[in-house]
Amino acid sequence: MYSVVFGIVLGANRGLQPSANGLQIFAIYLFTGLVCWNIFSSVLQRTIDGLVELIPLRRKVSFPILAPLVGMAIATLVERSAEMALLLVVYALLGNVGWTTALVPIFMLLVAGFAFGLGLIVAITNIAFRDIGHLVGVGLQLLFYATPVIYPASFLDTHLAPGSLARILLSAATRCTRSCKPSGI
């Protein structure tokens, strides 16, 4: 659905550069971004919600609070690994496999680690102010549409004025999300 709406209707695929073997498939670009984004947002939300869920149990039993949170993050990664495996299969079927494809799982682990660390920081704040967890969910939705997950980064060059605040902010977000996408896509 994203591929049809953003690729065809809104024309986000127009600025997409072809891969090393000449393929220019917006759906694969989009799928790569979605897998990365899903890992980030799932680990972040699970870590934030997990600390609140552990408070009643922590009052009854003494255990290191980080242990179940790490377990929750690993479980989330295992759930999302099916998406990543399917993505790697699609890369292989399209012949878009290179040395950068081998780095995809490493980048995904780095994204999960960053999300876990950020989730720990926000989870502590969420203990004192319970609405923070809900606001993070809303913020993640806004950030999803603001970052180049559903459109290529070159889309910014043609649609935003040079030097505008929106272009500066979105360019910074682009640099952060580029590490999740192999250079061949």
Side-chain angles (χ1 to χ4, degrees):
M1 187 56 83
Y2 284 125
S3 183
V4 171
V5 171
F6 292 103
I8 296 171
V9 176
L10 296 178
N13 62 350
R14 291 186 198 125
L16 186 63
Q17 299 296 322
S19 66
N21 62 3
L23 288 175
Q24 187 175 357
I25 301 175
F26 180 70
I28 303 304
Y29 171 87
L30 184 65
F31 187 37
T32 305
L34 285 173
V35 168
C36 185
W37 182 261
N38 287 341
I39 289 172
F40 174 77
S41 63
S42 297
V43 170
L44 180 67
Q45 277 297 144
R46 190 67 187 125
T47 304
I48 293 170
D49 297 339
L51 190 60
V52 173
E53 293 170 7
L54 291 172
I55 290 174
L57 183 61
R58 178 81 171 136
R59 289 183 183 143
K60 296 176 185 175
V61 181
S62 178
F63 59 88
I65 197 72
L66 197 58
L69 292 176
V70 169
M72 289 177 192
I74 291 172
T76 304
L77 271 176
V78 169
E79 289 172 7
R80 296 298 179 187
S81 66
E83 291 176 15
M84 191 170 57
L86 181 61
L87 177 66
L88 294 174
V89 167
V90 170
Y91 285 166
L93 289 175
L94 293 174
N96 198 16
V97 178
W99 68 272
T100 56
T101 306
L103 295 175
V104 170
I106 295 168
F107 287 136
M108 298 300 178
L109 285 174
L110 290 173
V111 166
F114 175 69
F116 182 70
L118 189 62
L120 288 175
I121 293 168
V122 176
I124 293 167
T125 309
N126 190 37
I127 296 296
F129 308 104
R130 293 294 170 101
D131 291 336
I132 297 291
H134 300 292
L135 292 175
V136 167
V138 172
L140 283 173
Q141 283 292 342
L142 292 173
L143 195 59
F144 173 74
Y145 290 105
T147 57
V149 172
I150 55 173
Y151 58 86
S154 59
F155 198 65
L156 297 176
D157 297 334
T158 58
H159 290 82
L160 292 177
S164 67
L165 180 62
R167 185 171 181 166
I168 292 168
L169 291 174
L170 290 175
S171 294
T174 300
R175 285 189 293 276
C176 292
T177 58
R178 250 189 214 152
S179 65
C180 295
K181 296 181 177 104
S183 61
I185 298 250

